Amino acid sequence: MSPRAAKTQAKPLRAGIYDRVSSDRRGDARSVAEQQAGNRAATDANGWDVALTAADNDVSASRFANGKARPGWESIVAAIEADQIDVLVLWEPSRGSRELVAWATLIATCRSRGVMIHVTSHHRTYDPTVPRDWRSLAEDGVDSGYESEKASERIKRSMAANAIAGRPHGRVPFGFERVYDPATKALIAQRAHPDQAPVVLEIFRRINAGEPIVAVTRTLNAAGAVSTTEGTPWARENVRRIALSPLYIAKRRAGGELLDGNWPALVDEATFWAVTRRLNDPIRKTTRPGRARWLLSYLARCGVCGATLAGIPAKRGRPASYRCGGGTVHVSIGQQVLDDHVVVNLVAKLADPGYCAEILAAADPVGLGAQGEVEALEAQLEEFRDLAGQGELTAISLARVEAGLLPRLAAAQARAAAAAVPAALIGLLDLEGGAAEVLLRFQEMPLPARREAIRAVMTVKVNRAANRGDNRGVDTSRIEIGKAQRP
Ligand SMILES: [Zn+2]
């Protein structure tokens, strides 16, 4: 008999009731009094004893309301942890907490303490130790987390009016310094910092030239460049954040818009947007969730005929598999078996510092320079085509321009391709956390990027099973991992 079942028989369950209304949803939220009545009625109807009631009013539970005290909520959590209640009674999940992490923690705490969660507006009591209930509760947290994001968007929009004035505010961004009136202490201007601004420029220049963030970070540290936090070396996240910040083209993001600031730009817009494009890996943008689910279809090959393998969905109890996509089915192998084997091999390779060094060394400066050249030539070409489109340039002139630019572009593209670090690998190289971090990052990548990464590192071949009966077995010895050909 479970401890809770024992408790149930001994005496009525002890309920902790929590009521709250947050001010940013006044329009559709019930008042505290209404919630209290509903929660109290539910508690009575279930025959629970009220061990504790707590309420917070006008305090947002979301993560966008940091630092505000929630005394009622805290007393409820303390009571759960002290085993003083058996059932937590809420009006709706978002009354509990609209912060996803806090909500997940609460569910986990309730589960470990054997505390049930009654959601009055659902007319339901959930038992977090039951997987189905746990999932419902967790999903509710995700939904209300989304609500909170939307509320935050609304707040940001109203802040936009402030931002339109274009005054710098908040922390002084790296690369700038602020000048104040010595008498009034009023801000006079934000201007380029003599030591930091050159570092910002260097970051943009290098990334624009195709250098991976990890290499840029290393160079900055090797050169002892002044960093965002005095005395500490550059971290990749900081380099990336700077490279994506519109502050350096004198703009600020507000409510999804870019607003002009009244400070000087450190970087020209063409460079800034080229860098943004480069860092927002195009592979990510073409992801259509739910479309492709095969990690290795049309990528792994048949060891007999060399055709690529096709994914065969699970059917009538048979697990999903890959099989030779040529005319004859030479080989067939379980999807999970092949996927797992390939991922393990890939992670081991990418976690090897020697291998990372090899890839980064292949990205020689000439090739990296060529990547920058490609972008520049493409931009020029686009500009001329725009001019022609607007009638500012005749068709003949355009043809002449193209005749000059296209061969240069092709040559630069060839050089860049030979030396570039594949985009899908950039985020996987040289990670401090070793294999575990490589695996984590890899799994977070969208499927097309994961496939790209595999393609860039290895070839996969599946040979015939020695024993015909073992086609779907776990025998991995017939999987042949080879080295990817550098283009
Ligand atoms: Zn075949």
Side-chain angles (χ1 to χ4, degrees):
M1 186 180 285
S2 75
R4 188 169 44 248
K7 265 191 275 189
T8 312
Q9 287 184 349
K11 48 185 167 177
L13 296 181
R14 300 160 300 169
I17 304 178
Y18 182 66
D19 313 295
R20 187 188 44 238
V21 164
S22 58
S23 55
D24 56 7
R25 295 186 65 200
R26 207 167 269 151
D28 53 356
R30 303 291 186 98
S31 72
V32 167
E34 272 177 281
Q35 284 186 42
Q36 265 167 348
N39 288 339
R40 186 65 78 142
T43 307
D44 289 348
N46 282 290
W48 298 326
D49 278 348
V50 180
L52 173 72
T53 58
D56 290 316
N57 199 356
D58 266 8
V59 180
S60 172
S62 81
R63 70 188 171 88
F64 303 102
N66 284 339
K68 288 188 184 173
R70 291 176 288 154
W73 179 246
E74 276 150 29
S75 67
I76 283 282
V77 172
I80 294 170
E81 284 172 348
D83 272 332
Q84 289 164 355
I85 61 176
D86 306 305
V87 190
L88 169 61
V89 180
L90 303 168
W91 177 257
E92 59 178 329
S94 61
R95 298 303 99 191
S97 173
R98 278 187 281 133
E99 183 190 355
L100 195 47
V101 175
W103 177 245
T105 309
L106 175 80
I107 303 169
T109 307
C110 286
R111 179 166 57 177
S112 70
R113 299 283 168 178
V115 172
M116 295 190 284
I117 299 177
H118 179 85
V119 179
T120 304
S121 62
H122 295 186
H123 306 285
R124 257 202 77 179
T125 307
Y126 298 88
D127 180 350
T129 62
V130 176
R132 182 186 292 257
D133 283 7
W134 182 85
R135 210 180 65 195
S136 299
L137 289 167
E139 282 170 359
D140 276 331
V142 174
D143 288 348
S144 49
Y146 173 68
E147 283 298 318
S148 191
E149 295 279 350
K150 284 194 296 192
S152 167
E153 272 305 313
R154 286 197 293 274
I155 293 164
K156 274 191 255 162
R157 272 200 295 280
S158 67
M159 278 174 64
N162 247 338
I164 284 166
R167 284 188 308 274
H169 66 75
R171 270 182 62 182
V172 186
F174 183 82
F176 293 103
E177 62 182 6
R178 288 186 189 156
V179 192
Y180 296 91
D181 184 312
T184 65
K185 304 276 186 275
L187 176 67
I188 297 172
Q190 176 167 290
R191 65 183 184 198
H193 187 291
D195 300 328
Q196 296 176 359
V199 179
V200 171
L201 275 172
E202 188 68 5
I203 289 174
F204 277 93
R205 192 188 64 74
R206 286 178 176 270
I207 297 175
N208 194 31
E211 243 178 79
I213 293 223
V214 51
V216 176
T217 310
R218 198 181 289 153
T219 306
L220 291 177
N221 286 331
V226 51
S227 93
T228 45
T229 320
E230 229 178 286
T232 59
W234 279 92
R236 287 191 301 269
E237 306 81 68
N238 291 341
V239 173
R240 187 182 167 83
R241 208 184 50 235
I242 284 176
L244 288 171
S245 170
L247 290 172
Y248 300 109
I249 49 168
K251 291 190 193 305
R252 177 192 296 132
R253 284 203 177 89
E257 281 172 273
L258 275 184
L259 304 166
D260 290 332
N262 67 352
W263 58 89
L266 299 188
V267 175
D268 65 273
E269 291 216 10
T271 304
F272 175 80
W273 292 114
V275 163
T276 298
R277 268 202 305 279
R278 198 175 272 288
L279 293 181
N280 292 337
D281 180 2
I283 292 168
R284 283 167 190 280
K285 298 222 165 112
T286 55
T287 312
R288 282 172 297 177
R291 288 297 290 268
R293 63 188 192 88
W294 303 96
L295 190 60
L296 296 164
S297 56
Y298 307 107
L299 199 161
R301 289 181 179 276
C302 169
V304 178
C305 71
T308 53
L309 304 187
I312 310 297
K315 200 176 169 189
R316 276 186 240 111
R318 283 187 141 185
S321 63
Y322 296 104
R323 72 178 180 209
C324 173
T328 315
V329 180
H330 299 111
V331 303
S332 164
I333 189 166
Q335 182 197 12
Q336 206 61 56
V337 174
L338 186 59
D339 285 0
D340 287 352
H341 186 78
V342 165
V343 170
V344 165
N345 273 274
L346 178 83
V347 168
K349 260 201 142 85
L350 292 174
D352 171 10
Y355 184 76
C356 292
E358 194 184 309
I359 291 193
L360 290 171
D364 70 294
V366 176
L368 294 177
Q371 284 190 330
E373 209 179 312
V374 168
E375 295 249 334
L377 287 170
E378 278 174 348
Q380 276 186 41
L381 208 52
E382 206 160 304
E383 220 165 279
F384 282 117
R385 284 174 178 159
D386 273 357
L387 287 177
Q390 293 159 16
E392 305 266 324
L393 191 71
T394 65
I396 291 170
S397 304
L398 177 64
R400 236 179 251 142
V401 166
E402 283 184 334
L405 284 180
L406 286 174
R408 282 172 60 199
L409 180 61
Q413 276 168 334
R415 268 179 292 139
V421 173
L425 289 189
I426 285 173
L428 296 173
L429 292 173
D430 228 14
L431 300 177
E432 277 130 22
E437 196 185 346
V438 175
L439 180 61
L440 200 72
R441 297 265 181 112
F442 178 77
Q443 284 168 334
E444 283 171 351
M445 284 161 58
L447 187 71
R450 274 182 279 148
R451 288 170 56 94
E452 253 346 282
I454 292 167
R455 217 192 286 274
V457 171
M458 56 178 58
T459 60
V460 181
K461 199 158 84 176
V462 178
N463 294 309
R464 215 170 220 160
N467 173 353
R468 265 193 74 67
D470 199 28
N471 266 339
R472 286 196 172 72
V474 293
D475 172 25
T476 52
S477 65
R478 62 193 177 107
I479 304 171
E480 231 182 280
I481 305 284
K483 202 169 152 53
Q485 298 289 311
R486 307 281 308 165

